[in-house]
Amino acid sequence: MTLKQTTRAAVMALLLCGAAAPALAQTSSAQAPIPAILMTPEAHDIHSYAQPLVARVTHVDLDLTADFAAKQMKGSAALDIAAAPGAKEVVLDTKGLVIHGVTDDKGQALPWTLGKADPILGAPLTVTLNGARRIVVSYDSAPDGAALQWLDPAQTAGKKKPYLFSQGEAILNRTWIPTQDSPGIRQTWTARIVAPEGLKAVMSAEMLTPEGEPAAGGRAYRFKMDKPVASYLIAVAIGDLAFEPLGQRTGVYTEPSVMKKTAYEFVDVEKMVEAAESLYGPYAWGRYDLLVLPPSFPFGGMENPRLTFATPTVIAGDRSLVSLVAHELAHSWSGNLVNNATWSDFWLNEGFTVYFENRIMEKLYGPERAAMLADLGWSDLQSAIADAGGMTGPDTRLHLDLAGRDPDDGMTDIAYEKGATFLRTIEKAVGRARWDAYLKDYFARHAFQSQTTAGFVADLRANLIKGDPKLEAEIGIDQWVYQPGLPDNAVHVKSGAFPAVDALAAAYAKGGTPPIAKWKAWSTPERTRFIASLPRKLSSERLASLDAAFGLSTQGNSEIRFVWLELAVENRYQPAVTSLEAFLTDQGRRKFVAPLFKDLMAQGDWGQPIAKRIYAKTRPLYHAVTRQTVDAIVK
Ligand code: BES
Ligand code: ZN
């Protein structure tokens, strides 16, 4: 038994003693019943110190000042605690925080200790409750806290004002919020954020003061999220931000100088929300806005409730990469309404979302565009399986074993693409109408709750399979979810357009001329497919004629530029290095940056010096998430 399991057994004993009298105490939050899912062993979160069955955070009130000079958030977090009878302490997650003190809601000091810091998990903050059901932690975040990136003006579009943004998923929010940073512990929250004069603060919540209020040290912005959310979904950004409405309940925030092209790219967002609602039920969060960040944002997008954070690399100028918005929007159901209870259940967030994203794309842009995207996803799945050690690789399982690991290690395309493929396989077995009805009902029944893989499987059996032995055998749920590899019944959605693209790629590889007219007519997925399906080894002459014909090295479309640069690096194609260096400098999206550095490092004497030279220059520009990954690649 591990230490944590021992504690857990003790907790269960404590709870069982008090079972006749359910967890009750004086204040209303303290009466909040323990969510049923948290009582199941599968919901035990190895990436948090919290002991939610003893004492659980139900609500957070942040009061923070963004100190740009010191690169620190400074202030307090007041937490409402639901505690079991007899609970003496509450355990919070922290990483790198400087704790100044803890009091109860009357200002009485409470005893606290900060445990030993683990490199992945950070340090537990244990507070003796002395009967309190609301505690106030005064603290500062560390200047190098991983969730927060403090940008110099030079790293923004406008180049004049600094910028701050946070990225919480998976376990980074403990670097700026001392709470129970576990996806199974949902919390409502409010925040008051003081930003320097001339900058605007936005958060993943209702904005109570869009213009801010005068405050010492700048302007104060207040926010409220009255729906319980997982802690990784609390997000903030501060910068020179403009807003432009896109529709009734949709809009976009970004820096003024890039607003025009940004708003152009996202005209369809309101329609996307409608399409999503028509599939799986009402949008539960009120507004749906986007925040398009500076280029160092480490992800394509992040589904922060009410305010998706997005990379500017999605702006292609022709709206061709908007499936990313469909993806983040879909998380408003699969992820934010019903989210993974632990990081081992990550596929419940991402697999469902990739499936749902594709259904939104199909509704809005038709079956062929959706099929092309799904087919590209199938290729990504094959690569992900190969990267994870082939069909027997343990990380090809949907339900992950993350013991002793950073959750980030398990977050591969397996969760995304095998997860989505599993759902397509179920859809095929039961028929779309029945599957859609089940999913809609599933989201409604589990709204604002966390879910485990075991919980989903049980729900699927109870409400969809209903004991039908033929269906059970046809789908093979347990193999899909708990075994490595890809089951034989996996549904591969094939694009009707790709065979012709593949044929042209093969012809080009054999010495044909670049298919210029076709390229002009092709959509982004077709162009991506063409480059990706060329043989990995091509002569400099072949690469040069491609580059000249399609302007690959100066591509503004980030997805096409990326697949081109991968091909170029694999062939040690020197003329593309300038373009490569610019791409690695101008944006810090991990999905692009990490594979390119990996490809360079794989090219021995040619690639390694290039990787080291470029990374020495670009490392300070990247967010901690990207840096951590690339550090491990470029040693
Ligand atoms: N929730 C993820 C981003 C994420 C994953 C953050 C794991 C931290 C840990 C987001 O929804 C996502 O999947 N983004 C993708 C884009 C999408 C279109 C597949 C990305 O960033 O590439
Ligand atoms: Zn996602």
Side-chain angles (χ1 to χ4, degrees):
M1 237 188 200
T2 66
L3 184 66
K4 280 214 83 160
Q5 281 166 333
T6 317
T7 319
R8 194 183 154 75
V11 165
M12 288 312 279
L14 177 86
L15 283 167
L16 290 174
C17 295
L24 283 183
Q26 303 85 340
T27 72
S28 64
S29 78
Q31 292 170 0
I34 295 173
I37 195 73
L38 280 184
M39 311 279 277
T40 66
E42 296 84 10
H44 173 62
D45 179 8
I46 58 171
H47 295 109
S48 170
Y49 292 106
Q51 296 177 12
L53 305 185
V54 177
R56 190 174 94 253
V57 175
T58 59
H59 178 82
V60 181
D61 291 311
L62 298 173
D63 189 349
L64 297 170
T65 296
D67 183 338
F68 277 81
K71 299 190 187 292
Q72 285 174 296
M73 283 290 208
K74 297 176 172 172
S76 65
L79 312 174
D80 289 345
I81 312 292
K88 296 210 163 29
E89 45 190 45
V90 62
V91 187
L92 310 174
D93 295 298
T94 72
K95 197 170 184 186
L97 301 184
V98 177
I99 307 294
H100 299 305
V102 185
T103 69
D104 66 13
D105 58 344
K106 298 189 185 65
Q108 281 293 320
L110 295 174
W112 57 273
T113 56
L114 204 53
K116 188 171 164 276
D118 174 271
I120 297 170
L121 304 182
L125 173 61
T126 304
V127 178
T128 302
L129 287 168
N130 287 347
R133 291 298 177 264
R134 181 173 168 84
I135 65 170
V136 184
V137 183
S138 301
Y139 68 100
D140 302 336
S141 69
D144 61 352
L148 302 176
Q149 191 179 13
W150 303 83
L151 301 178
D152 295 330
Q155 291 172 273
T156 67
K159 314 276 179 220
K160 292 210 173 67
K161 295 180 180 175
Y163 201 107
L164 165 70
F165 69 85
S166 71
Q167 166 59 42
E169 193 179 12
I171 56 169
L172 306 180
N173 266 350
R174 60 192 66 181
T175 65
W176 71 289
I177 307 173
T179 186
Q180 294 180 326
D181 192 17
S182 175
I185 306 176
R186 286 178 169 251
Q187 301 153 42
T188 53
W189 60 276
T190 71
R192 177 178 176 274
I193 303 286
V194 178
E197 200 63 58
L199 299 183
K200 184 179 173 67
V202 295
M203 292 190 89
S204 50
E206 187 186 340
M207 301 187 191
L208 302 177
T209 55
E211 304 310 320
E213 303 161 335
R219 289 186 88 69
Y221 294 83
R222 289 185 292 108
F223 304 89
K224 182 175 88 183
M225 172 48 73
D226 56 13
K227 316 257 187 325
V229 296
S231 57
Y232 70 86
L233 294 172
I234 305 177
V236 67
I238 300 176
D240 180 14
L241 297 176
F243 175 76
E244 187 89 20
L246 296 167
Q248 276 265 309
R249 54 180 159 166
T250 53
V252 59
Y253 293 88
T254 197
E255 290 184 69
S257 67
V258 288
M259 178 55 93
K260 201 167 164 220
K261 61 176 184 181
T262 304
Y264 174 86
E265 206 75 14
F266 297 127
V267 273
D268 281 347
V269 170
E270 186 81 26
K271 275 193 259 170
M272 280 188 177
V273 179
E274 284 159 16
E277 287 188 307
S278 75
L279 286 164
Y280 300 128
Y283 178 72
W285 306 89
R287 291 196 57 85
Y288 180 75
D289 294 321
L290 290 163
L291 170 68
V292 178
L293 288 121
S296 67
F297 186 63
F299 292 105
M302 178 63 214
E303 67 269 26
N304 297 315
R306 292 177 65 102
L307 186 63
T308 282
F309 282 26
T311 169
T313 64
V314 67
I315 296 166
D318 59 2
R319 303 171 179 162
S320 61
L321 301 178
V322 295
S323 62
L324 184 136
V325 178
H327 179 96
E328 304 312 333
L329 170 66
H331 274 306
S332 307
W333 287 258
S334 47
N336 299 354
L337 207 51
V338 185
N339 76 307
N340 51 216
T342 78
W343 297 112
S344 293
D345 307 305
F346 183 59
W347 79 276
L348 290 181
N349 276 15
E350 299 301 343
F352 272 65
T353 297
V354 170
Y355 173 83
F356 189 179
E357 161 198 348
N358 202 253
R359 295 291 307 276
I360 296 172
M361 292 303 286
E362 179 183 323
K363 254 207 143 62
L364 237 55
Y365 306 108
E368 180 50 32
R369 181 157 173 195
M372 287 194 275
L373 295 169
D375 209 349
L376 289 177
W378 178 267
S379 303
D380 292 342
L381 175 56
Q382 305 311 313
S383 314
I385 292 172
D387 289 350
M391 295 292 248
T392 56
D395 283 344
T396 63
R397 288 175 294 188
L398 286 178
H399 184 260
L400 293 164
D401 179 1
L402 294 172
R405 303 163 72 191
D406 190 321
D408 216 46
D409 292 353
M411 293 177 162
T412 69
D413 271 348
I414 297 291
Y416 289 78
E417 298 298 342
K418 182 179 173 182
T421 302
F422 175 38
L423 301 193
R424 287 185 190 122
T425 305
I426 305 174
E427 180 196 314
K428 184 175 169 221
V430 301
R432 186 172 266 198
R434 192 168 149 198
W435 170 238
D436 279 351
Y438 166 76
L439 267 187
K440 188 171 179 174
D441 187 52
Y442 172 78
F443 288 127
R445 282 186 287 107
H446 297 275
F448 302 108
Q449 294 168 35
S450 305
Q451 180 63 290
T452 58
T453 299
F456 167 65
V457 165
D459 190 284
L460 192 66
R461 291 206 161 102
N463 297 296
L464 186 70
I465 312 291
K466 295 181 175 160
D468 180 338
K470 203 177 129 273
L471 258 187
E472 182 75 46
E474 186 182 341
I475 300 173
I477 303 172
D478 292 318
Q479 189 194 346
W480 266 101
V481 166
Y482 296 113
Q483 299 299 319
L486 192 61
D488 293 337
N489 63 351
V491 170
H492 174 184
V493 176
K494 290 190 179 125
S495 151
F498 281 178
V501 175
D502 294 347
L504 283 166
Y508 179 74
K510 287 208 200 87
T513 51
I516 294 183
K518 293 279 184 199
W519 178 271
K520 284 210 176 97
W522 278 339
S523 62
T524 294
E526 290 167 295
R527 292 174 179 185
T528 307
R529 173 72 174 210
F530 178 82
I531 307 281
S533 75
L534 288 167
R536 294 292 84 192
K537 284 290 158 212
L538 284 176
S539 68
S540 287
E541 178 278 317
R542 290 282 78 192
L543 293 167
S545 91
L546 263 193
D547 196 4
F550 305 148
L552 296 172
S553 287
T554 53
Q555 259 301 310
N557 184 302
S558 58
E559 296 285 347
I560 297 171
R561 175 90 162 256
F562 170 68
V563 287
W564 157 247
L565 291 173
E566 280 214 290
L567 182 65
V569 170
E570 283 171 63
N571 288 285
R572 305 189 176 192
Y573 182 61
Q574 191 69 35
V577 172
T578 311
S579 169
L580 172 70
E581 184 165 353
F583 190 63
L584 292 172
T585 308
D586 295 344
Q587 54 82 38
R589 182 174 172 187
R590 181 169 70 175
K591 179 187 123 168
F592 295 147
V593 166
L596 287 168
F597 277 112
K598 211 178 197 171
D599 296 340
L600 279 171
M601 292 303 285
Q603 296 304 322
D605 294 349
W606 181 81
Q608 295 188 1
I610 300 176
K612 287 179 182 154
R613 178 179 61 76
I614 296 178
Y615 192 45
K617 192 182 78 176
T618 60
R619 188 179 186 279
L621 305 175
Y622 295 157
H623 183 276
V625 158
T626 300
R627 241 188 286 135
Q628 184 182 317
T629 305
V630 181
D631 279 354
I633 296 168
V634 185
K635 299 233 182 58

